[in-house]
């Protein structure tokens, strides 16, 4: 059986230092799948959790980490889908797992052709991040032109995408929270957020209510969880949507939490994940992402409100060779990044 190199975890789970490159069987595409030679893959926080044994991996996922990638098609089993994918096509896409490797097999339903103006590094940072932001903003948040949005963890990859999608979708105001003035400036000056609030030094909920004349925000996208639950209800506008995508701060609410805002403001609170969804659901989001692809690129003028650009930009914070995957995971754990962390395979 043909072999390939792939990242594995010593003893199945462990710290970043447990990651190492080993040999695994090279996958073979089933009907409707493509075999892709990977050029680059993106890191996501779920990778850290999965490495530690704290992430519910879907049953169809291989044990190898990684859900987003870019590369070149080596083989297609079948007709190549409606796009007619064929060997030699440069693509990027979303998988249930297996991207930390030299080759991956994935449904042709979940890949897109890479535009020439996007590098393999940039393209590898698009699928999980931008599909998640699209899901949160449009499918769950029910965003429409003129609504206001609050993106917590403003300098995280999903929020970076979400801020830009909110901007090109003509949100009335876009607010963010972040843990440093540097990150706030990045979100406001570079991405086009209306205002940002430092959760370490200010009462962000009170500041947002001041900024909105007490009306609050229409859509709130949160990754923090329990510590923000009460304040999210506080800043929610009438008929607001609160979208929960993670629990970085914990999932158990303290005693005394007041849930009256749900009734008084008619708030809808909904949690969601992407990886556990079936291919039909993910495929609909992939099709929505395809609508944005033409707006990506260095000439997209995605530099925010000062530039007035209508384009979208993939912000890559740091690139590692995949042999340095341990350092890449440690860097993500440091919480200092603004944008995607990408590993490349020579």
């Amino acid at each position: 059986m043909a072999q390939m190199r792939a990242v594995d975890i010593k003893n199945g789970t462990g710290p970043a230092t447990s990651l190492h490159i080993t040999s695994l069987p090279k996958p073979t595409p089933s009907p409707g799948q493509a075999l892709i030679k990977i050029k680059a893959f993106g890191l996501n926080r779920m990778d850290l959790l999965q490495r530690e044994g704290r992430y519910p991996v879907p049953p169809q996922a291989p044990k190898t980490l990684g859900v987003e990638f870019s590369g070149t098609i080596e083989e297609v089993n079948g007709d190549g889908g409606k796009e007619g994918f064929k060997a030699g096509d440069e693509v990027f896409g979303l998988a249930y797992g297996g991207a930390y490797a030299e080759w991956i097999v994935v449904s042709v339903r979940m890949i897109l052709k890479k535009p020439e103006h996007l590098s393999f590094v940039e393209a590898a940072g698009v699928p999980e991040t931008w599909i998640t932001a699209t899901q949160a903003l449009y499918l769950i948040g029910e965003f429409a032109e003129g609504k206001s949005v609050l993106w917590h963890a403003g300098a995280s990859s999903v929020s970076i995408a979400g801020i830009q999608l909110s901007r090109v979708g003509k949100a009335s105001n876009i607010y963010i929270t972040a843990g440093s003035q540097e990150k706030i400036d990045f979100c406001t000056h570079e991405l086009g957020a209306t205002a940002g609030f430092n959760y370490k030094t200010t009462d962000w909920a009170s500041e947002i209510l001041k900024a909105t004349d007490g009306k609050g925000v229409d859509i709130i996208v949160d990754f923090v969880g329990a510590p923000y639950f009460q304040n999210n209800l506080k800043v929610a506008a009438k008929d607001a949507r609160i979208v929960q995508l993670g629990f970085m701060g914990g999932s158990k609410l303290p005693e005394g939490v007041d849930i009256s805002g749900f009734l008084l403001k008619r708030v809808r609170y909904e949690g969601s994940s992407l990886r556990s969804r079936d291919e039909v659901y993910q495929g609909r989001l992939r099709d929505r992402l395809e609508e944005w692809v033409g707006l990506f690129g260095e000439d997209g003028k995605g530099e925010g409100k000062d530039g007035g650009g209508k384009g979208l930009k993939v912000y890559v914070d740091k690139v590692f060779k995949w042999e340095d995957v341990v350092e890449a995971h440690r860097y993500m754990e440091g919480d200092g990044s603004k944008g995607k962390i990408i590993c490349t395979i020579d």
Side-chain angles (χ1 to χ4, degrees):
M1 179 178 291
Q3 298 287 298
M4 69 173 181
R5 293 182 299 161
V7 175
D8 200 0
I9 308 168
K10 295 175 185 176
N11 302 316
T13 62
T17 52
S18 65
L19 297 173
H20 67 109
I21 295 177
T22 187
S23 291
L24 293 176
K26 181 179 176 180
T28 302
S30 299
Q33 291 185 326
L35 173 67
I36 297 164
K37 179 69 174 72
I38 293 179
K39 295 284 190 179
F41 58 83
L43 272 63
N44 292 280
R45 290 205 170 271
M46 76 175 79
D47 302 347
L48 308 184
L49 297 173
Q50 183 178 339
R51 191 200 71 215
E52 295 170 350
R54 299 191 293 122
Y55 188 91
V57 180
Q60 66 270 52
K63 68 175 184 176
T64 305
L65 299 172
V67 299
E68 59 182 351
F69 61 89
S70 63
T72 303
I73 294 178
E74 185 171 290
E75 177 189 349
V76 176
N77 188 335
D79 61 6
K82 64 180 181 179
E83 288 84 1
F85 290 110
K86 62 185 184 303
D89 284 346
E90 296 179 346
V91 296
F92 62 104
L94 185 69
Y96 286 107
Y100 285 29
E102 290 183 301
W103 279 274
I104 191 170
V105 292
V106 65
S107 168
V108 295
R109 186 74 179 85
M110 293 311 299
I111 55 178
L112 300 100
K113 291 186 178 179
K114 183 184 78 64
E116 291 184 1
H117 60 269
L118 273 187
S119 68
F120 281 110
V121 165
E122 291 169 322
V126 170
E128 170 70 17
T129 297
W130 288 82
I131 286 178
T132 298
T134 299
Q135 177 195 31
L137 189 64
Y138 283 96
L139 266 67
I140 304 173
E142 298 182 341
F143 173 78
E145 181 179 337
K147 288 192 175 185
S148 58
V149 189
L150 166 61
W151 291 90
H152 288 301
S156 68
S157 296
V158 172
S159 290
I160 287 173
I163 292 165
Q164 294 183 74
L165 290 176
S166 303
R167 191 192 73 238
V168 300
K170 298 182 181 179
S172 58
N173 288 291
I174 308 165
Y175 302 106
I176 66 101
T177 61
S180 71
Q181 190 60 45
E182 179 187 5
K183 289 183 177 181
I184 290 171
D185 290 344
F186 169 71
C187 292
T188 55
H189 301 328
E190 184 79 9
L191 302 179
T194 307
F197 308 96
N198 189 326
Y199 64 85
K200 294 179 179 178
T201 61
T202 65
D203 179 352
W204 59 264
S206 295
E207 293 300 317
I208 288 175
L209 287 176
K210 289 178 186 176
T212 60
D213 294 325
K215 295 178 181 178
V217 182
D218 297 314
I219 301 167
I220 300 167
V221 184
D222 182 35
F223 311 85
V224 180
Y228 282 12
F229 184 87
Q230 190 73 80
N231 277 341
N232 281 338
L233 277 177
K234 182 178 178 180
V235 303
K238 289 285 180 65
D239 298 306
R241 302 288 184 258
I242 302 175
V243 184
Q244 194 72 50
L245 296 183
F247 299 107
M248 293 171 60
S251 59
K252 295 186 181 298
L253 296 176
E255 186 176 351
V257 168
D258 181 2
I259 64 171
S260 62
F262 282 112
L263 184 63
L264 298 175
K265 298 181 179 182
R266 303 185 296 269
V267 170
R268 191 177 78 191
Y269 178 101
E270 185 171 345
S272 188
S273 61
L274 177 62
R275 194 176 180 185
S276 61
R277 301 285 190 170
D278 62 36
E279 191 176 298
V280 173
Y281 181 94
Q282 290 190 3
R284 291 201 303 268
L285 286 167
R286 174 260 182 218
D287 293 345
R288 192 66 182 266
L289 174 63
E290 192 171 27
E291 299 175 16
W292 311 125
V293 170
L295 297 177
F296 285 111
E298 293 181 0
D299 59 349
K301 295 182 179 179
E303 62 273 4
K305 61 183 179 182
D306 296 333
K310 297 180 180 179
L312 304 170
K313 184 174 180 180
V314 182
Y315 286 86
V316 176
D317 182 271
K318 196 164 186 177
V319 179
F320 293 84
K321 291 184 178 297
W322 80 312
E323 292 88 350
D324 298 323
V325 66
V326 170
E327 286 71 22
H329 269 232
R330 283 173 165 169
Y331 184 70
M332 175 167 274
E333 288 171 336
D335 290 330
S337 60
K338 299 191 297 293
K340 293 298 297 186
I341 301 169
I342 305 293
C343 286
T344 58
I345 301 178
D346 293 333

